[in-house]
Amino acid sequence: MDLSFGLSYTARNVLIGATLLGALGGLMGSFALLRRQSLLGDALAHAALPGVCLGFLLTGSKAPLPLFAGALVAGLLGALLILTTVRWSRLTEDAAIGIVLSVFFGCGIVLLTHIQKLPGGNQSGLDKYLFGQAATLVVEDLVVMAVLGGIVALAVLAFYKELKLLAFDPGFGASLGLPMKRLEVLLTLLLVVVVVVGLQTVGVVLIVATLITPAAAARQWTDRLGSMVLLAAAIGALAGVAGSLASAVVPRLPTGPVIVLVSSCVLLTSLLFAPRRGLLQAFLRERAVGARIRRENLLKDLYLQGERSGSWTEAISWTHLMGVRGQGSRELDHTARALADEGLVERTDDSLRLTPDGLCAAESMVRKHRLWEVYLTRRLELPSDHVHRDAEAMEHALTDRAVEALDALLDFPATDPHGRAIPRRRAA
Amino acid sequence: MTDPQSVPGAPAIEVHDLTVAYRTQPVLWDVDLQLPEGRLIAIVGPNGAGKSTLLKAMLGLVTPVTGWVQIFGEPYARRRSWVGYVPQRESVDWDFPTSALDVVTMGLYGRIGWLRRPQKHHRETALACLEKVGMADFARRQISQLSGGQQQRVFLARALAQDARLYLMDEPFAGVDATTERAILALLQELRATGRTVVAVHHDLQTVAEYFDHVALLNMRLVAAGPVATTFTAENLQRTYGGRLTVLTQATEALLQKRTAEIPPDLGVKPAGGTPWT
């Protein structure tokens, strides 16, 4: 089977390694993100560094297995230390994470410096674990990565529903008799494995991004844990592919950081454009509501003017309408055009007039406003000079059904607290 | 309700000499309590009285310093499948990516067993439970898009899915709308009608007499427990919410100053089991 994809040996290894890591990071990162343990992965990565150094010092070899084993042991030790610190001391989790991260990383740097001063230590290449150097991946590394990754994926699949419960409601899980403490240890163990798998490719400093970024991006697009986990894995893998190809094509482009940048771009896009949770959607929604409120207000202003002059068929001048709410002419023009498009007003160069449909819509607004005022004065016994502002907001929120119910509740009042008539729905 | 496994005549819950402490801070002190089967029982007391802790101790979620709890005459670990639990609504993140139906299915996880995924009939059971709390139309809804009352009903449906004999509920009426409050009450009464026991932490003193048969008044120690008619008296409420706590607070202060990690077996102010302080 030809797995070279037309790439060089190195580029192929990088491609496979980065894709694997991206998928695994997305998978485990989803759980870390939902359990609000985003920084745990960061601490575990830093904690693994002294393990890598000790693995090298003890065996004198930079074969992947001893280094992996060292990193695994040190990472687990760090995780254990965080868990016990939180449990037995008064330190909170963020403090424990900060302490373990810096202490272990400090030890790691000391050992690294020591190794580099040893004869031949410069060639050990352990410094690649700091920032990652995907180009140093050999087939042997890939095999270890694939085996460990396979184990992680299988474990998540096997214990999926229990891990979901652990992330959502561990107390309830414990009441069911599920061993939540042991599941938590398992989840942390799997996280450590993924972190260790990624050290050589992305490095201690950036590994947290491969965990959290794809997961955070995936969360934007879905409301199901299953699809979130798969999507995060897919985004991670995609970033891995993109990063490794970019570094293969462009000389001197480091793979790890490019992977992180690619997944960050996906995250940014997701934060902005995701359908329900995206910022753009929120912005557009808010703007639509603002525009609707301005339209409803204009209808009401036209009605009130008609009420004062005794005729709703009269055209009302532009300058008058601008004065009512201190609106600029462009804003008013925009709102009036929208109403004219709906057939609610008729427009001439310098005036507006309600159409029969527009009058109905305007009456409905005034009715909501005045009924709410009656409700506030009667039921909540607020003085009548305090209710206008509140009704100004409520008239845009009340649904037609709520208004009918309110009308019945108040026994169909004829006038508002200021003595003005409450318009009744006209016979169709 | 007879069951070959149940210990004859055993109360639904028996709490004996229970003391629970978080670090050096005692939360529950020498609680002796027997709760009868087939009743709606309220646990009432001020904030920080240890109501939730008592519930968690019954569920084996916190380890007591001394004492034990039995459910229908056996330790909780052996009666787990008889007990349904409704945690406080605020105890979970409602923005979690999951649906109402999915949350209710979690009530069945104990029965589904390891290495198995929920099957179609599990989801049907869950849906039936949502139906019972009037939430079947919201089954596919993401849980953050539910109102507080609806979320509470989802939690109740999850407990119903456990099909238990005894339900432990942490503030099921907290922060819900009037419709939900009526729905929950109807559900509790239905559970009682089928012989189930419900123990609920309750905050609203106004409704205790109307909603519940039995009440346990708690303020770190047990002040009184029994039928609402005889136990839920002004005098007992005064003892629960009144100034009597200061004695215990002083004892705790003295204890902290000694900086002892362990709680002395006797501070000289220990109440005789279940009776008020003298």
Side-chain angles (χ1 to χ4, degrees):
Chain A
M1 189 167 53
D2 180 29
L3 283 174
S4 68
F5 311 116
L7 294 168
S8 70
Y9 170 82
T10 309
R12 186 199 65 188
N13 285 352
V14 171
L15 178 68
I16 296 173
T19 311
L20 252 174
L21 171 67
L24 285 173
L27 177 73
M28 291 313 297
S30 298
F31 287 97
L33 183 79
L34 290 174
R35 299 189 68 223
R36 299 168 191 273
Q37 290 189 321
S38 297
L39 282 177
L40 184 64
D42 199 24
L44 299 183
H46 284 76
L49 186 63
V52 173
C53 298
L54 284 175
F56 175 77
L57 284 173
L58 290 177
T59 62
S61 118
K62 49 175 186 163
L65 267 181
L67 300 191
F68 266 125
L72 211 56
V73 170
L76 283 178
L77 197 68
L80 197 73
L81 229 86
I82 291 170
L83 289 179
T84 45
T85 308
V86 172
R87 197 133 162 228
W88 297 108
S89 80
R90 279 170 187 254
L91 291 177
T92 51
E93 186 167 25
D94 58 328
I97 284 176
I99 291 164
V100 167
L101 184 151
S102 46
V103 169
F104 275 65
F105 191 58
C107 293
I109 296 293
V110 169
L111 287 172
L112 206 59
T113 317
H114 172 70
I115 288 169
Q116 276 171 338
K117 283 181 182 151
L118 291 177
N122 265 332
Q123 279 81 51
S124 70
L126 288 193
D127 49 337
K128 74 189 174 196
Y129 285 95
L130 274 183
F131 297 109
Q133 204 172 340
T136 60
L137 285 171
V138 294
V139 172
E140 225 182 332
D141 294 313
L142 293 182
V143 171
V144 176
M145 284 173 85
V147 170
L148 287 176
I151 293 173
V152 168
L154 275 179
V156 170
L157 195 66
F159 299 110
Y160 177 71
K161 72 176 189 304
E162 286 80 11
L163 292 178
K164 186 204 285 192
L165 195 49
L166 175 71
F168 177 61
D169 193 352
F172 183 75
S175 85
L176 289 177
L178 297 171
M180 300 318 275
K181 291 257 156 61
R182 260 176 269 172
L183 283 167
E184 189 176 1
V185 172
L186 172 75
L187 195 68
T188 312
L189 182 75
L190 297 178
L191 193 64
V192 173
V193 169
V194 171
V195 163
V196 169
V197 161
L199 280 187
Q200 196 179 348
T201 313
V202 181
V204 162
V205 180
L206 285 179
I207 189 98
V208 67
T210 63
L211 293 171
I212 301 311
T213 321
R219 178 69 189 91
Q220 289 294 107
W221 298 96
T222 170
D223 277 332
R224 294 283 178 278
L225 179 62
S227 27
M228 173 180 167
V229 168
L230 291 178
L231 191 59
I235 292 172
L238 184 86
V241 170
S244 50
L245 288 183
S247 66
V249 173
V250 184
R252 287 174 218 273
L253 211 51
T255 314
V258 173
I259 293 176
V260 171
L261 288 179
V262 171
S263 58
S264 302
C265 287
V266 176
L267 174 62
L268 192 67
T269 314
S270 308
L271 286 175
L272 289 176
F273 302 114
R276 213 170 48 75
R277 304 169 71 93
L279 292 173
L280 183 70
Q281 269 282 311
F283 172 75
L284 289 178
R285 241 186 336 253
E286 208 164 294
R287 232 182 54 164
V289 170
R292 180 171 67 84
I293 289 178
R294 278 194 297 277
R295 286 199 304 277
E296 291 177 349
N297 281 342
L298 182 54
L299 282 177
K300 210 177 54 169
D301 294 344
L302 289 167
Y303 180 93
L304 293 178
Q305 183 54 34
E307 193 176 48
R308 264 187 292 264
S309 68
S311 158
W312 284 295
T313 49
E314 217 166 86
I316 293 155
S317 82
W318 207 248
T319 36
H320 173 81
L321 288 168
M322 276 166 67
V324 176
R325 287 174 198 270
Q327 285 188 99
S329 92
R330 263 188 64 193
E331 199 179 299
L332 187 63
D333 185 57
H334 195 80
T335 311
R337 195 174 304 164
L339 285 175
D341 288 347
E342 291 177 67
L344 299 177
V345 297
E346 277 169 13
R347 220 179 140 191
T348 61
D349 277 345
D350 58 353
S351 69
L352 279 181
R353 175 167 45 194
L354 284 169
T355 64
D357 281 351
L359 182 57
C360 268
E363 271 183 343
S364 150
M365 289 311 300
V366 173
R367 189 169 132 82
K368 285 177 185 178
H369 181 102
R370 292 185 180 168
L371 275 173
W372 189 251
E373 286 188 338
V374 175
Y375 175 76
L376 287 181
T377 47
R378 281 211 210 151
R379 291 296 168 124
L380 303 186
E381 296 177 7
L382 290 174
S384 62
D385 54 338
H386 279 69
V387 294
H388 175 75
R389 252 217 332 229
D390 197 56
E392 245 345 73
M394 273 309 280
E395 68 192 16
H396 304 294
L398 285 171
T399 62
D400 289 339
R401 244 179 75 194
V403 170
E404 296 317 315
L406 195 64
D407 201 7
L409 181 80
L410 296 168
D411 201 21
F412 310 103
T415 58
D416 74 0
H418 313 291
R420 287 179 302 194
I422 294 174
R424 299 265 147 228
R425 199 163 285 276
R426 296 157 180 247
Chain B
M1 208 165 150
T2 55
D3 190 296
Q5 279 179 288
S6 72
V7 177
I13 301 178
E14 179 166 7
V15 177
H16 180 72
D17 194 20
L18 186 78
T19 297
V20 179
Y22 291 138
R23 297 212 173 84
T24 57
Q25 196 80 25
V27 189
L28 284 175
W29 209 301
D30 265 344
V31 173
D32 268 336
L33 182 63
Q34 290 198 350
L35 298 175
E37 190 174 0
R39 304 282 161 79
L40 302 185
I41 301 157
I43 299 178
V44 172
N47 284 330
K51 303 183 297 289
S52 294
T53 305
L54 179 59
L55 222 58
K56 284 181 180 156
M58 289 170 175
L59 289 157
L61 296 180
V62 297
T63 317
V65 178
T66 63
W68 47 259
V69 176
Q70 284 191 342
I71 312 287
F72 297 107
E74 292 278 354
Y76 177 73
R78 298 183 54 183
R79 288 284 189 245
R80 204 165 263 145
S81 58
W82 293 20
V83 182
Y85 175 40
V86 181
Q88 268 182 42
R89 183 159 56 86
E90 293 81 29
S91 65
V92 304
D93 170 19
W94 288 95
D95 196 33
F96 196 87
T98 191
S99 67
L101 186 70
D102 219 27
V103 172
V104 178
T105 312
M106 288 175 189
L108 301 166
Y109 279 10
R111 237 181 293 161
I112 293 170
W114 293 99
L115 304 181
R116 299 223 172 101
R117 310 200 59 184
Q119 304 297 310
K120 193 163 173 247
H121 69 271
H122 292 123
R123 275 189 291 276
E124 278 161 6
T125 309
L127 192 60
C129 294
L130 272 177
E131 183 101 58
K132 274 187 221 163
V133 297
M135 289 286 295
D137 292 344
F138 300 89
R140 299 262 146 221
R141 204 55 95 79
Q142 203 265 325
I143 52 175
S144 69
Q145 294 170 312
L146 301 172
S147 73
Q150 291 170 333
Q151 291 172 346
Q152 188 66 59
R153 281 192 263 171
V154 168
F155 257 17
L156 279 166
R158 182 174 72 172
L160 289 182
Q162 294 182 269
D163 192 22
R165 271 175 75 166
L166 166 67
Y167 287 96
L168 300 179
M169 306 183 176
D170 206 341
E171 305 209 18
F173 293 103
V176 302
D177 52 284
T179 319
T180 299
E181 180 142 350
R182 278 193 301 275
I184 295 175
L185 182 63
L187 190 72
L188 299 193
Q189 286 163 347
E190 200 186 314
L191 287 171
R192 177 177 56 189
T194 53
R196 264 71 166 224
T197 312
V198 176
V199 179
V201 172
H202 195 60
H203 244 123
D204 182 12
L205 294 177
Q206 311 271 348
T207 51
V208 169
E210 185 190 339
Y211 292 0
F212 294 94
D213 314 316
H214 222 79
V215 65
L217 294 163
L218 196 74
N219 192 347
M220 289 172 93
R221 68 217 147 92
L222 183 74
V223 178
V228 167
T230 52
T231 312
F232 197 63
T233 60
E235 195 204 344
N236 279 338
L237 279 174
Q238 168 63 27
R239 284 223 300 271
T240 313
Y241 288 85
R244 299 285 185 117
L245 190 63
T246 46
V247 183
L248 204 56
T249 315
Q250 282 165 11
T252 313
E253 287 288 308
L255 208 146
L256 284 175
Q257 275 172 12
K258 279 165 74 183
R259 289 177 190 280
T260 37
E262 276 173 305
I263 294 162
D266 194 331
L267 281 168
V269 287
K270 202 167 108 173
T275 61
W277 291 65
T278 45

